[in-house]
């Protein structure tokens, strides 16, 4: 009895650490490094980015305030020109304060009396749309799951770790696009479910399972390949747009920056060009939901029930009587015998 207890204790002493190690491996695969960049809310605001200002004020606060007001005026003129193609009348600063939803600081340098910055301006669509005379996007695509794949040093990455390509898609405002993007954050188990190998799978059942979890009708796959010429040297980004469970090709383009510091800006520019590729494909027709991803009910054809009906009636449990050929001939002769004796012509007998 003592030996039995000792053996069980040894087994428990060995098995418990192994179980803890195994659970730690699974938890590490899900948690791992910092991953998961939540996309910004695309509420439909008009956005103007890259507004450069360089102003001087009485102090740092006054200079910054003047810089933001100048950015609002520049952004409104750019938005009007983009919408109508002409130069429109300017608005007062008080009116602009009422229609501007937010100021996004991209880069800024604050001095004692000087403010130099690159800003983005967000205009409220409901208020600014009335002044511009425009409304929301009339036609949009079906919800499309976004799967951004990055190739760096030959290794593909989606959500396993944070990348500049994923970050650019997360902060991109999709309100003005005709593509209805479904952008996963990559947090939790999404990094295991959505990976680079997913784009090579063709099973429609597997794709339906994934798309149903994200409320999407199909998938689009923007791919970024980063090629470094030499350490600290130029970087070439090759971008291609693909879609659907069959990984179909839509288009591609190439961008180049002088060093690694320009990668975030290159990615932001690539997202804009990639969105234009998807919008063009939607307008021209290639980008459409795959019909094989729609689970259609099976159509059961009605059986042909009309036809000859066989008499299967049974009397007292016996099989139906069957006449032999001799019985048929004998009955015919018996019917013809009276007519032969009377001398009258014999009418033709019907065939049995």
């Amino acid at each position: 009895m003592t030996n039995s207890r000792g053996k069980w204790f040894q087994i428990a002493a060995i098995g418990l650490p192994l179980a803890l190690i195994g659970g730690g491996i699974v938890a590490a695969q899900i948690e791992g490094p910092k991953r998961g960049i939540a996309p910004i809310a695309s509420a439909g605001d008009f956005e103007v980015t890259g507004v450069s200002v360089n102003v001087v004020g009485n102090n740092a606060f006054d200079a910054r305030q003047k810089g933001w007001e100048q950015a609002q005026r520049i952004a409104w003129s750019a938005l009007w020109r983009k919408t109508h193609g002409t130069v429109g009348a300017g608005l007062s600063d008080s009116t602009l304060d009422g229609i501007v939803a937010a100021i996004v600081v991209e880069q800024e340098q604050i001095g004692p009396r000087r403010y130099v910055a690159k800003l983005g301006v967000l205009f409220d669509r409901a208020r600014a749309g009335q002044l511009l005379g425009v409304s929301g996007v009339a036609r949009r695509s079906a919800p499309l799951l976004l799967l951004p794949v990055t190739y760096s040093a030959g290794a593909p990455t989606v959500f396993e770790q944070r990348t500049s390509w994923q970050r650019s898609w997360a902060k991109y405002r999709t309100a003005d696009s005709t593509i209805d993007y479904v952008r996963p954050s990559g947090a939790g188990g999404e990094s295991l479910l959505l990976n680079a190998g997913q784009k090579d799978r063709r099973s429609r059942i597997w794709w339906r399972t994934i798309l149903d979890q994200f409320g999407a009708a199909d998938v689009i796959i923007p791919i970024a390949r980063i090629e470094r010429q030499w350490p600290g040297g130029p970087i070439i980004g090759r971008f291609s747009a693909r879609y659907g469970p069959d990984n179909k090709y839509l288009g591609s383009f190439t961008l180049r920056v002088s060093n690694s510091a320009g990668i975030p800006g290159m990615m932001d520019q690539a997202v804009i060009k990639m969105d234009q590729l998807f919008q063009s494909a939607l307008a021209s027709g290639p980008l459409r939901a795959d019909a094989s991803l729609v689970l259609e009910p099976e159509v059961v054809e009605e059986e042909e029930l009309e036809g000859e009906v066989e008499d299967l009636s049974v009397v007292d449990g016996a099989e139906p009587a069957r006449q032999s050929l001799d019985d048929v001939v004998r009955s015919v002769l018996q019917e013809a015998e009276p007519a032969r004796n009377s001398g009258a012509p014999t009418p033709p007998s019907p065939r049995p």
Side-chain angles (χ1 to χ4, degrees), residues 40-43 45 47 104 122 171-177 183:
I40 62 173
S42 298
D45 296 334
E47 182 181 21
V104 180
L122 298 179
K171 69 180 184 179
Y172 181 64
R173 296 188 178 273
T174 62
D176 293 333
S177 176
R183 296 178 291 179

Side-chain angles (χ1 to χ4, degrees), residues 92-270:
S92 63
D93 291 336
S94 60
T95 304
L96 289 174
D97 290 338
I99 63 176
V100 171
I103 301 291
V104 180
V105 178
E106 299 176 3
Q107 298 176 4
E108 68 176 0
Q109 298 178 5
I110 304 175
R113 294 184 178 180
R114 192 172 184 180
Y115 182 74
V116 180
K118 182 179 289 186
L119 306 173
V121 182
L122 298 179
F123 294 94
D124 183 82
R125 179 176 289 271
R127 299 174 182 177
Q130 297 178 357
L131 299 176
L132 291 171
V134 298
S135 59
V137 180
R139 175 178 176 265
R140 302 197 76 184
S141 69
L144 300 177
L145 179 65
L146 182 70
L147 193 67
V149 181
T150 307
Y151 283 87
S152 181
T157 303
V158 182
F159 297 118
E160 292 81 359
Q161 59 185 1
R162 293 182 177 181
T163 62
S164 298
W165 188 229
Q166 182 201 353
R167 187 182 301 276
S168 296
W169 278 106
K171 69 180 184 179
Y172 181 64
R173 296 188 178 273
T174 62
D176 293 333
S177 176
T178 56
I179 305 298
D180 187 2
Y181 291 100
V182 178
R183 296 178 291 179
S185 65
E190 292 181 358
S191 60
L192 299 178
L193 184 64
L194 303 176
N195 50 57
Q198 181 61 38
K199 63 184 179 62
D200 296 324
R201 296 188 177 98
R202 301 292 180 263
S203 174
R204 279 8 185 210
I205 298 176
W206 180 256
W207 272 111
R208 288 193 198 105
T209 302
I210 293 179
L211 295 176
D212 287 345
Q213 292 187 18
F214 293 94
D218 210 330
V219 60
I220 51 178
I221 310 169
I223 300 176
R225 298 179 183 270
I226 307 302
E227 299 178 1
R228 293 173 170 82
Q229 302 303 298
W230 59 81
I235 296 175
I236 298 176
R238 304 184 187 277
F239 303 90
S240 58
R242 294 180 174 274
Y243 79 102
D246 293 328
N247 199 21
K248 296 181 180 179
Y249 174 80
L250 287 177
S252 61
F253 56 90
T254 303
L255 299 177
R256 180 188 178 98
V257 292
S258 58
N259 51 49
S260 298
I263 290 180
M266 178 179 68
M267 293 299 184
D268 293 343
Q269 184 179 357

Side-chain angles (χ1 to χ4, degrees), residues 55 65 78 96 182 220 245 262 292 299 307 318 321:
V55 296
Q65 184 68 26
L96 289 174
V182 178
I220 51 178
S292 63
V299 179

Side-chain angles (χ1 to χ4, degrees), residues 7-21:
K7 290 181 180 180
W8 280 110
F9 180 77
Q10 292 177 0
I11 294 173
I14 296 174
L16 182 58
L18 291 177
L20 293 176
I21 293 174

Side-chain angles (χ1 to χ4, degrees), residues 54-72:
N54 188 345
V55 296
V56 177
N58 298 328
N59 49 53
F61 178 80
D62 182 61
R64 191 182 194 189
Q65 184 68 26
K66 289 182 178 179
W68 285 19
E69 292 176 352
Q70 182 180 1
Q72 292 179 173

Side-chain angles (χ1 to χ4, degrees), residues 273-288:
K273 295 178 67 67
M274 190 70 69
D275 177 64
Q276 294 174 354
L277 267 178
F278 287 132
Q279 291 191 65
S280 299
L282 177 65
S284 58
L287 182 58
R288 62 183 64 183

